[in-house]
Amino acid sequence: MIETQLPLPELAASELRLLIGGERVDAASGERFEVLDPATGEPLASVPAGGEADVDAAVAAARAALPVWGAMAPASRAELLWNLGTRIAELSEELATLEALDNGKPRAEALMVDIPLASEIFRYYAGWVTKIEGATIPLANGLPFHVYTRREPVGVVGAIIPWNFPLLMCAYKAGPSLAAGNTIVIKPAEQTPLSALRLADLVEEVGFPPGVVNVVTGDGPGAGAPLAAHPGVDKITFTGETGTGQKILEASKGNLKRVSLELGGKSPNVVFADADLDAAVEGSYGAVYFNQGQCCIAGARVYVHEDVHDAFVAKLLAKLKAVRLGSGLLEETDMGPLVSAEQAERVGGYIDSALAEGATELAGGGPARLEDELAGGYFVRPALFTDVTPEMRVMREEVFGPVGMVSTFADEDAVIAAANDTNFGLAAGLWTADVKRAHRVAAQLHAGTVWINTYGFFDVAVPYGGFQMSGYGKELGAEALDPYLQTKSVWTDLS
Ligand code: ADP
């Protein structure tokens, strides 16, 4: 077993309290809830059960901090963001352990993806703080006015965070929010609040002014809903399920707060006959099963050309059979547990539904929760289905677990139509050696991101976000600043 950098006793003793207005406080109710280790089902720590009163206090603190944050020199604000990114990088080992403990993901993956990208996001947006500019606009009618625009922060941002990439999603929201001059209230997912509370420690350590970043732990109805409905919140940024996104949108109506939604997906991944098959198998494995399949971008609808279908499936199956399930803290683990018992049950339900609807199971099966030495943890074996039809639930709804579906196709137009037969539009992948086909098909796929001969790559500079019911409001890149800014036009009469 990897030495945990943050052994449990130390974790339990660390500052697992809310951050509101620069103070570490308990929930107003005094209540706490237990965070479970998904690999064992045992309690890991307890954190405050924040509620409406805590959300009120955090929003008030964020509001009070706005003028302070706005009055700081942009270069000084940039330095704080940069330093936060640096501290995250310096604490990579510890933070990766924390994510593996809390979420269940393999620690090596957190160390490769979650933590470095979170660090880079703060440093990348540190660069933007000093580059937010308006324009001088010559009037179309030629009248003598001097008109310029200012790009101003929207104000107080509420960030509602999912459990699949806990720290990374905090960075997705906080990086551009803070760079644009907003203050923020972060509400981590109740399943995985530990890294957000550790982030709160780092925010204090690097010296952000009190109230610029606030962290309120709590569940969806208790803390998320009051944040989404709060009249003092100017914008909500949310990543999570489409249904929850719709509730948040509904709750935002009261003060017409701005909302960005990064929601579910049911992404297609298309393998043409001329693809490098080994690369396509490797990439498709990652597309479906990375992070135990708990990725919005999961390319779980795999379409393989009929000429290479059998070879593709044989190779993918061989890979799946070799997958070692285990605690995310073990070096040899390929796949950790799902995040919660509820999620394991839900994924088990989808596996059952595929079987009941007539799909053929090539890998996986049995009860979703294992009865062997991993019993107690929320493990689900990776499942692979063929003989799937477009109406099946597993082909239409987001499973958010290690479940892949392989279909065959004969021609390009048919597979484009099949790939686009979804209400979602987050991502898509395609594998081919034909560069003309690659770009022709990429242009026709309804998805916010298309990967050609790869899958799942992210870079802080590249915008990411969905079409259709996968939501709106881009994250990452320069474009991610837009939802956190509002433009003011200023007119001066020169006549
Ligand atoms: P899941 O059901 O898998 O936990 P969600 O999309 O519901 O996924 O959760 C993502 C985030 O949304 C979590 O932080 C959760 O607490 C929060 N949340 C859940 N329900 C609501 C709600 N009604 N209003 C605001 N936030 C919510």
Side-chain angles (χ1 to χ4, degrees):
M1 185 175 223
I2 291 171
E3 271 293 292
T4 55
Q5 311 293 314
L6 197 64
L8 295 190
E10 196 185 311
L11 177 71
S14 85
E15 196 65 273
L16 296 177
R17 300 207 291 169
L18 310 179
L19 175 62
I20 298 180
E23 304 286 333
R24 299 313 286 265
V25 294
D26 293 316
S29 66
E31 308 223 331
R32 298 177 75 84
F33 65 92
E34 278 190 334
V35 181
L36 303 181
D37 177 349
T40 62
E42 299 294 322
L44 199 53
S46 83
V47 302
E52 204 168 337
D54 308 294
V55 168
D56 276 346
V59 171
R63 174 73 48 202
L66 264 177
V68 180
W69 188 231
M72 267 180 85
S76 305
R77 285 193 268 130
E79 200 176 344
L80 286 173
L81 280 171
W82 181 271
N83 291 346
L84 185 57
T86 300
R87 280 304 281 147
I88 290 171
E90 286 168 357
L91 297 174
S92 293
E93 298 287 338
E94 177 200 312
L95 291 166
T97 301
L98 199 54
E99 291 300 54
L101 271 172
D102 202 6
N103 167 279
K105 64 177 66 202
R107 184 177 179 279
E109 291 180 6
L111 210 45
M112 191 175 64
V113 177
D114 300 56
I115 312 301
L117 189 50
S119 165
E120 281 165 28
I121 287 172
F122 285 112
R123 296 200 217 177
Y124 171 84
Y125 286 104
W128 273 111
V129 179
T130 50
K131 295 160 196 75
I132 293 170
E133 299 169 342
T136 308
I137 303 178
L139 295 194
N141 64 17
L143 290 175
F145 287 92
H146 171 56
V147 179
Y148 64 92
T149 59
R150 291 166 48 82
R151 301 192 78 207
E152 299 183 349
V154 293
V156 173
V157 172
I160 301 179
I161 308 293
W163 44 254
N164 58 344
F165 294 92
L167 179 70
L168 180 56
M169 291 299 122
C170 291
Y172 266 51
K173 315 298 191 190
S177 287
L178 296 172
N182 303 282
T183 57
I184 191 167
V185 177
I186 298 174
K187 206 298 280 176
E190 53 272 38
Q191 297 84 350
T192 55
L194 299 181
S195 55
L197 290 175
R198 190 73 185 102
L199 182 69
D201 297 342
L202 304 183
V203 161
E204 289 194 283
E205 187 191 312
V206 302
F208 278 81
V212 172
V213 179
N214 305 273
V215 179
V216 177
T217 50
D219 66 12
L227 188 60
H230 204 290
V233 171
D234 300 292
K235 175 183 169 62
I236 288 285
T237 171
F238 170 73
T239 297
E241 270 182 64
T242 296
T244 307
Q246 287 169 322
K247 283 189 202 158
I248 286 172
L249 195 56
E250 191 68 37
S252 73
K253 280 192 323 198
N255 67 336
L256 291 180
K257 56 175 69 69
R258 283 148 183 73
V259 179
S260 311
L261 302 169
E262 201 270 86
L263 306 176
K266 191 79 236 180
S267 299
N269 179 39
V270 181
V271 181
F272 288 95
D274 61 356
D276 172 340
L277 208 58
D278 288 331
V281 169
E282 199 61 36
S284 301
Y285 170 79
V288 182
Y289 301 103
F290 181 74
N291 212 36
Q292 293 69 245
Q294 300 167 128
C295 292
C296 317
I297 56 157
R301 286 189 295 134
V302 187
Y303 297 90
V304 184
H305 191 275
E306 57 191 13
D307 291 353
V308 293
H309 173 267
D310 293 354
F312 177 93
V313 166
K315 283 173 188 271
L316 184 55
L317 209 48
K319 252 189 106 51
L320 290 185
K321 296 242 155 92
V323 164
R324 290 157 305 187
L325 295 186
S327 158
L329 294 176
L330 296 172
E331 214 161 343
E332 63 269 24
T333 293
D334 297 311
M335 209 178 260
L338 300 199
V339 72
S340 64
E342 187 192 4
Q343 191 59 17
E345 294 300 331
R346 188 163 136 179
V347 172
Y350 274 111
I351 291 173
D352 292 345
S353 82
L355 290 170
E357 290 180 275
T360 302
E361 188 181 63
L362 300 180
R369 291 183 59 180
L370 304 182
E371 303 301 331
D372 55 18
E373 73 276 12
L374 299 173
Y378 314 132
F379 293 91
V380 174
R381 287 196 181 89
L384 184 66
F385 289 97
T386 54
D387 300 320
V388 288
T389 54
E391 323 67 59
M392 289 180 179
R393 281 184 63 207
V394 285
M395 291 291 280
R396 304 219 74 83
E397 299 173 21
E398 184 174 49
V399 174
F400 231 62
V403 183
M405 284 70 63
V406 178
S407 319
T408 55
F409 69 92
D411 75 89
E412 188 179 301
D413 287 344
V415 78
I416 292 170
N420 287 337
D421 180 17
T422 173
N423 292 331
F424 294 108
L426 193 55
L430 69 100
W431 301 81
T432 177
D434 178 344
V435 72
K436 291 184 184 172
R437 186 199 333 254
H439 297 292
R440 185 168 67 229
V441 175
Q444 292 177 80
L445 292 172
H446 297 313
T449 297
V450 178
W451 284 287
I452 299 171
N453 294 333
T454 184
Y455 201 98
F457 262 87
F458 279 79
D459 184 88
V460 64
V462 180
Y464 162 71
F467 292 2
Q468 305 192 114
M469 292 195 71
S470 293
Y472 41 76
K474 291 288 181 197
E475 307 209 89
L476 303 181
E479 216 177 307
L481 289 163
D482 295 342
Y484 296 103
L485 289 164
Q486 51 194 351
T487 299
K488 177 183 283 173
S489 302
V490 182
W491 293 65
T492 310
D493 184 353
L494 299 182
S495 64

